[in-house]
Amino acid sequence: MRVEEWKKTSREGDVTTYMDKTLMCSVFRIRGSIPASNYILLPKTSTQSLGLTGRYLYLLFRPSPAKHFVVHMDIAAEEGQVIRVSFSNLFKEFKSTATWLQFPFLCGAAKGSVYESTAKTARHGLLGPAPSTVRWTCLMMDLQYILSVYLNRRHSHLKTVKLCANMSVKNMFTSDLVLDPGVSFNEAKQAGLASSLGTGPMPREMSFPVPKGGSWHDLYDYIRFPSDGAKMPFDSIQKGYPSAVSTCSPAERSPMREMSRSVNISKPVQDRVSLIQQITTPKLGSRTSRSHRSAVRIPCTDDGGVHVYHLHTHLSIYTPPSCNRPLSQSHFLCFPCSYTLLCFCIALWTKSGDTVVYPCHAIIVSMKVSSGQQRFFIGHTDKVSALTFNGNSTVLASAQTGIQSVVRVWNYLKANCLAMFKTHAHSLSSLSFSYSGGVLCGVGKDGHSKTMVVVWNTLRVTKGGEVTVLAKAHTDVDIQTMKIAFFDDTRMVSCGRDNVRLWRVRSGALRSCPVNLGEYHALDFTDVAFEEGHSADHEPEDRTLFASSRSGHILEIDYGSVAIKNVRRLLPAQQPHAQRREKQTFGMGLGIAVNSISVSSAFCATGSEDGFLRLWPLDFSTVFLEAEHEGPVSLVSVSDDGLSVMAATTSGNLGYLDVSSRGYSTLMRSHTDGVLGFSLDGIRRRITTASCDRTVRVWDMDSMQQLYDFVSEDTPCSVAFHPSLQVFSCGSSSGLVRVFDIASAKLLAEHRQHRGEVVGLAFSPDGEFMYSAGSLGSLALYNSSQEDHHVLRVLGNVVARGTERAPDALTVSSDNRCLAFVGPSEYTVTIMAARSLDELLRVDVSILDVESTTLDSALKVCFSPASTGHLLVTTSANKILWISANTGRLLREVSKVHKHQCSSLAVSEDGRFLLTAGHNAVKVWDYSMQLDVNSQMFIGHSQPIRQVNFAPDQMAVVSVGDAIFFWDFLAHPQETGTDRRYSEFGGSTVALKGHSESEVNGRLLSNGMPRRTAPLPTSPPPCLDISSIDRIGQGENRCSFFHSLFLRLLSKHSVCLSPSQSTATPELGEEGLRLKAVIGYNGNGRANMVWNPETGLFAYSCGCVVVVENLHTGSQRHWLGHTEEISCLAVTNDAQTVASAAGGSGGSRSLICIWNVQDGTCSNTISYHQGAVQALSFSRDDFFFLTVGDFTDPEVALWSTRTYQLLSRVSVSGPLHDVAFSPSAASQLACVGSHGLYFCNTHTQGLDVELKVQRVCVPEEVGDVELTALCYNANSILFTGTNSGHVCAWDCNTQRCFMTWEADQGEIGVLLCRGNRLLTGSNTRRLRLWGVAAVQGMRGALVLLEQEMMLDGTVVSAAFDDVMDMGIVGTMAGTLWYINWVDNTSIRLISGHKSRVQYRVFANESHFATCGEDGSVRVWTAPNNELVVQFQVLNQSCGSACWSPSKGGACVVGGYSDGTLRIFRLASSEMELKLHPHPVAVTAIQYSANGQVILSAGRDGLMAVSSPVTGLTVRLISDHKGAPITTIQCYKEFGLEGNEMWLAASADRRVSVWAADWMKDKCELLDWLTFPAPSESAPTLAAFSPIDPGLVVYTGYGVERELSFYSLAKKRVIKKIALSHWAMCFSLSSKGRLIAVGSKERVLKLIKSSSGRFQDFLHHSDSLQTCRFSPSGKLLFTVAYNEILLWEVRGL
């Protein structure tokens, strides 16, 4: 097939055809410097599939000489997975994950060439670019073999193929036959090769031409995979030994790894094999599965440039199948802190082996290796130089370097400091705990810089006792490290230059004796380690001691006799021709430095200067596993279970090797030197950093992974991201300014306008200009709207000289008007016009303080938001000056900002907070400086901070210097109409990401939602929406997440009024509107969705409506009875009755409605609880009904379902979170809450029912937690979930907890048990299915995590069938998911906006669009209300949207908070054009009637007329300047001059009406309407009447609440209609003269304009903000917060 003629194929980049002289036919040639940008893709999209089922893939191609190429194949497995298989000569080693295999490709060379002759004897193939004599190649790959051996999957079919530059391709195909390209048809016939035997010759159209008498193999290469080639790297695609093609059938070929050819194994080798089996087999229970054998030459998953090899090439061993899958790469929860030279030898495993502890300068980090979750130990003031654990990892000791060499002892589990003391004068370099934790040993320097060893008694430190000195000694010998023997607290061993010494404490004295080293006395020893394990017939001290050295020697020392037993040396092998490694050996010669050694009971691990982590048997006979790193390995540590080996390198990487699976995972990467500056990309959430290590690195702010690494010949000093494009600039120490395009990895521009270091670099907020400043005073202006970023203007001697103001010497105002910097002298600050560099203002800061005796100089400058008009200046006198950017007048000053000079400052976008950095501390200030305490200080850095700034979303703070610190910014969002006591700065907090449970207590987490606040949870879930509130009830200052959730439900109407009492609701059957559909699901509720798989009942809540939906047809029924948002639902076991609960309004009690499922009628109501209802539940026999109040009224009420009369009630002391009846005993139930678990029993005596409660505390091993969810199984076992992620299993008979396990990292809010399967849902968005069959015996047993899914938000509700195969789950994101565990699939059933819906607009009767605060524009279909497409813009709010007037509404345009307009085309589901006509948020947008232009307006009142074709702004209208525009509307053909008229209404009660002819560039003002009394009570709204366009309908704040009809012809108001409430929104229908009006009181009013007749509808739970009729007038949409209701218009 021809690629250019096949519609299902995609070509990108330089793809051409040419006539190849060798093949004598046309072939495709793919060229380009970036393979990912130049390719052929078959088929065109990922949704299509080739569907090729052949087992073997044949590719006829030729790599381009001296170039690299890449081929990607997506292969579908029968298990449902899609596996990507890639091969390239770019790859240097084999890599694998669960879904991706990468194979190196070793290029062959022409026969007789120098490459071929040297390759014959080389161990390594031709890695890297193809040789100049590379030949056409026929590659055959066994796809079935690849999936079977490497991933244990069954091959189904080939899905897609992507051929990337640089190569030439003739053809490719798949087949089930083993074809020989060197055999002709005649030769095949004579040899008996037939397709029935699974073999045959190559088809003619696929074959290569061979001249008469010539040999195919002399002209071309035939490469098969799997290959029998012996060159390294292993598991590469390489040419094998010349041999005839095997004639065996495919059925006879085994999809297993080939066994080694060596068959004779000697006794020592056999012993070694069994030893390796013991090491590599997991120690925890074995799984029963079909075993298979594999060659031990297995390269495994490498991570971050780490290559893992198994080196027993002459042995074959058994490996369990479960060990064949390498570990996946770990992900970070927060930014890795920099790992510097002082910390390279310090990292510890915990006893459990699931956590590593390491220092990051002055902070100690504890990281879980499975999830990357971090905890921090903060208290040191200088770099941490030593760490040590006691034997069971409960006590941690740490020491810091420098002159303040203090030692801290920590309770590791609680992360609190138990003791702090100082004995050494300085340079404390080594610590070691005894196994019991009763003795601590340290090595440092005394006041005379002499080495001093101190031993402390720490036996009583955990009980509050003091730490005392047991003994100390001075010594002249060098000590690199010192360790206490794990078998005796009084014995130690040390090593250093020229010595290994044994120490002992006896009678209060510390004495030592040297080991007789003999001829090895001059070695420089680096590390020591004791032999593990012990035999009963030996003395405790009868052990072997291992010592490593920088010369490569490893000494085995007999501890008892203090003598050397054995000496070995690590030597480099001779380099082969390809400059690649060989297996290392021990012997004579120049050795490889061994930096660290660690010993387990089964093997020894070494880390050496050549970058290798090696694992040896204890006899050091050979290396059986090694991992190659990018830099020297400075630390190795084997975990206690022997399954993992940690390694740290001098290049800044920390990772670990999983011995059983041979997979390597990198835990942390970092710069290897100080970080000089950074910049943030708010759109793509990336951060770029520049470092002294001469690299610029780009990181992802969410995954915290390093994405790109740019290496420079000079030192990068400052960096800046373009505000909208994937472009960043970098200034260097040589004066160069480079601009890079990240997407294409291309250098866009390079300028040398500065002779000295670049000290400042910035883009204007609109992205049109770039600025750079040099250390010798120069300033340059660039045009960044052009790709070459050409220079517009350069000024000399305008910036203050010196490098102390780097990297942020320049600041640009947010309105793009001004540029400020310190200069021309250090005493002056200059403000220039940002577009021209014309000087506007110069301020001399040295004369502002007339009383000072010294001249004050300026250090840093920063603009606050443009609305304030302030420029902030920090000075050498440690002050911050507030200067007017317009007049230069000093407005305010603050003294004594930091102990040292302020090095960086930034202001939040909302102008409420100021951020400063001084020396090693960060301070957060109240910008207005009006509080008693205006700042908070945070420590963590051990060196001066270079730069600090807010993240674009203002939810985080970034600071750099010695490391990259990423802080959570926990200040409250600014709110209106709420209690301002908790909106002030006094509640703001900054915390390091990854904080522990103990650290988050008492802190306030930002909610980010414009509703009132809720109390603080007790744990820090990664995805949590919580804010602060005053202490309510019984002094509780904390409660669980779901407890706080319902406080938000109670308080959400703080900015809207209660439902109006003066409403005119219509009589039944006379309604002018009928509720047709509800779009969305209330993610703020809990258990507010019910589903019965037997009857098909499916109901959920949205706002104050209960929606009953038919899952087959999508039709809805609506149960209307509540006026407040519904918090929870419950259904009886026979699915005939549903209960719904909602909070009361205006101080009234909550309302519970009892619904009859059959006819949808409300059969009963209950109004009892003072606050919201937290939970509802029906008993198993449906005789009882239980309700639970929220934290304001923590009461359990029991009701009869026959009469719904109160039977009994019980109050508890703390908030309750969940309740459930026992399925096995009707009289038993349980509740969980802040104070534990409550077992309840009902006792019936006649007609009286008594509820008895027994409280049980949470097990101590779980910690200080709250129980948040519970469920029963059928065998008297109760499961409870906690806010720390633990699940506890309780015996209901004994009321005892017999088992706990950690089921999640966040708060568990949903528990559901069916048979032997338990479902957990948490605020980490995880839904997990556990096998709990072993728990039935009520003994501590293992639970099995069977399956897991990640959803889009916190799990708040769930309902499943009886076998837990399928169910429905609701999340806080407003989504209901259908879950099928059998297929492991999730399907979105119900979707809605999570945040506020800002606008809604119709295209026609079949489509409409909504936009929201989350930056999304969503397009829906009207008949079935399904989401068609969603366009998402990150970190922006979309305030308005409109459709193009073309047929069918082909485009939709959105207006965003950054002042941009984005045009989206529905046909391609892509953004077509981006316009930036406004410097402020867009408030209104509208296409002209003919679609020729787009009219948009900003918050500043300026209106822009833009072309949707070119994106240019053709006209600016400033008549409304200063007042935000609320409405723009266009109307076609009105009978006046021109062909269109339009109006605009602004918040100052003014309406302008215009006539326009856009084709003639005409736009004239027709009329100007001004109304009195501007106020914020109601917005200004105006619209043309669809019946008579000469009428303008207006409403706004005035003397009366009314609608005014203004006649453009008569120039006066001709009619008024009175309103009962101020209008927040209104819409005019083209049918029936109807007007819909929405109010803050949640009333939707339908008015007939001709008669004034009206009806009121109360079905919303929040203020109405949008209402809009469809073009035909048959439908009406209304929006309140995120609730979207669709009404059928019947008329009045």
Side-chain angles (χ1 to χ4, degrees), residues 624-638:
F624 66 82
L625 199 62
E626 64 181 21
E628 183 180 6
H629 296 72
E630 295 175 351
V633 178
S634 54
L635 164 76
V636 294
S637 177
V638 183

Side-chain angles (χ1 to χ4, degrees), residues 1391-1411:
S1391 178
H1393 285 269
K1394 179 182 178 182
S1395 59
R1396 179 186 293 271
V1397 179
Q1398 302 277 49
Y1399 205 74
R1400 194 226 48 76
V1401 61
F1402 272 98
N1404 46 46
E1405 295 301 309
S1406 61
H1407 289 84
F1408 63 94
T1410 59
C1411 62

